[in-house]
Structures are given as C-alpha cells and as structure tokens.
Amino acid sequence: TQLLEQSPQFLSIQEGENLTVYCNSSSVFSSLQWYRQEPGEGPVLLVTVVTGGEVKKLKRLTFQFGDARKDSSLHITAAQTGDTGLYLCAPRLSNAGGTSYGKLTFGQGTILTVHP
Amino acid sequence: GAVVSQHPSRVICKSGTSVKIECRSLDFQATTMFWYRQFPKQSLMLMATSNEGSKATYEQGVEKDKFLINHASLTLSTLTVTSAHPEDSSFYICSGGWVGEQYFGPGTRLTVT
C-alpha cells in the first residue's frame, strides 16, 4: 500500500515570505503532478515532473522531483496573496496498470494562506 | 486546455431525497471520467471511475447503491446521490481527460438539510 505524506497541512505566512511544501512516499513514482485549488473551484494543474532530479520553474514557483522519484517539493518565492489556496500533489505509481487511465490519488493537501 | 463543466454548481436538498449531478466534457470525448468528494479543508478523495457504456468502478468504502453513476455518452457522466443524508453534504468534483492530463470540473456543493 502506498503511503503518501504531504506537509505541512497548514501554512500561514506574510506576503513576501518564502515557503516549501513537501510530498513524500516510500513508493517510486513514474511521475508526479502538483495542483492548486481555490475555494469553491476544481483543482488546476500547475506542473508535471517526470524525471528523477528534475527541476521545473513556473514564475515564482519551483518544483523539484527527488532523484529516487519518491518525493517532490514545491517552493514559492516571495509569496503573494494570490498564492492562497490548497496545494495538492498527485503521484502516479511506476507499476500503475492501464486501467488506472488518469486516476489520481491526492496527498492530504497543504492549505496556504498568505496575509497582506 | 480541455474544459469540463458541472451542473448544478450548488444544490440544497432535503434529507431522503435524491440529487443528480452532471459532468460534461465540452471540447473532448471522455471514455473515462472520475468522481471525487471533498470535505472542508481536506483533500480530494476518489469515489469512483465512470466508464462510458459500462458499469462504474467504485473505490473501497463507497456505496455503489447510494452513489449511482451513469456514463451514457462520451461527453456526459452523472452522479446521483440517492436518499441523501446530511453526512452526504460535501463538494463533489469530476474530472476527465487522458493519461497524464486530467481536467477538473468546477465542483458541485451539495448541502443536505
């Protein structure tokens, strides 16, 4: 059974601060996605990381995939109030069968609140 | 990206009644769609996989007789919450797409009084 841990669960910071959210597991992932969800809306895909050690940047967001593909992190630089939301990681297992076809298992989520 | 819509966005119903939620893929065909449930301040939990033209596959612990799923066309899946109770109040979200790229609907807020 895959054990997926996302931390921290809650994060409350001031505008301008930096933060990091972690997604860890004992299983190897074939890929991992990060989503952001605002209240009352569906999640929106931010990035997909595929290669061990991969680093992707999206403006002030930096996503890293661990060398062993068991963990990932999301780092936000100089957070803004507009970054407030629920951040979710969703890995895809290496041994996922064809029947999974897009099925996602999400981490517990990190609720980020950025105060002005 | 692809667009998924849900209807209604909000619904309030009385305990014991049934509620149908629609999920539509607007600009692509979805042979498979997924239904999730989300409680306040929590992550999304997968309820079931909706398969066009065949029976849905339910996750462990999800009552298939309570959450009826119908995927009669390549662009429409429906979730019917039967004999709803207050504990069924939640945010229901669907998704569709393809391997590696799922698009989520805007969600339906169900409140059972």
Side-chain angles (χ1 to χ4, degrees):
Chain A
T1 303
Q2 172 196 1
L3 181 63
L4 181 65
E5 293 188 6
Q6 189 175 337
S7 62
Q9 188 176 357
F10 298 97
L11 202 49
S12 179
I13 62 173
Q14 297 296 127
E15 202 168 27
E17 293 183 16
N18 302 332
L19 66 111
T20 303
V21 177
Y22 300 93
C23 185
N24 299 297
S25 176
S26 56
S27 301
V28 176
F29 307 140
S30 61
S31 63
L32 184 141
Q33 296 181 321
W34 284 95
Y35 289 81
R36 177 167 164 264
Q37 183 186 23
E38 297 194 29
E41 299 181 10
V44 174
L45 178 66
L46 295 174
V47 77
T48 302
V49 286
V50 179
T51 307
E54 182 177 5
V55 177
K56 281 191 174 179
K57 291 193 174 185
L58 186 66
K59 296 184 180 178
R60 293 175 295 101
L61 278 60
T62 301
F63 304 86
Q64 191 160 7
F65 202 15
D67 290 340
R69 291 186 286 129
K70 292 183 178 181
D71 56 87
S72 181
S73 64
L74 156 60
H75 183 80
I76 301 180
T77 303
Q80 300 176 357
T81 56
D83 296 327
T84 294
L86 173 66
Y87 289 82
L88 299 158
C89 65
R92 187 177 304 281
L93 296 179
S94 294
N95 61 352
T99 54
S100 66
Y101 199 82
K103 174 177 171 177
L104 292 172
T105 300
F106 289 92
Q108 300 96 322
T110 296
I111 297 176
L112 170 65
T113 305
V114 182
H115 302 281
Chain B
V3 180
V4 174
S5 71
Q6 280 185 242
H7 178 81
S9 57
R10 290 176 179 269
V11 58
I12 301 173
C13 71
K14 292 187 176 180
S15 187
T17 62
S18 295
V19 173
K20 181 185 286 188
I21 302 170
E22 293 184 349
C23 177
R24 292 183 185 273
S25 56
L26 298 186
D27 51 2
F28 67 99
Q29 294 183 332
T31 56
T32 303
M33 287 183 167
F34 299 94
W35 286 96
Y36 297 82
R37 181 166 58 179
Q38 184 178 35
F39 293 106
K41 298 190 185 300
Q42 293 188 22
S43 185
L44 281 71
M45 290 192 61
L46 180 66
M47 298 176 66
T49 302
S50 174
N51 304 299
E52 189 268 334
S54 65
K55 291 183 179 180
T57 305
Y58 291 83
E59 295 299 301
Q60 192 172 9
V62 177
E63 299 174 60
K64 62 180 181 180
D65 294 330
K66 181 168 186 60
F67 298 99
L68 301 179
I69 291 173
N70 184 275
H71 196 150
S73 78
L74 288 171
T75 59
L76 174 64
S77 174
T78 60
L79 168 67
T80 300
V81 183
T82 62
S83 187
H85 291 286
E87 57 265 30
D88 298 323
S89 297
S90 188
F91 194 52
Y92 292 86
I93 305 174
C94 68
S95 76
W98 38 91
V99 177
E101 204 157 349
Q102 284 289 300
Y103 297 92
F104 288 83
T108 296
R109 173 75 60 194
L110 170 63
T111 303
V112 185
T113 61

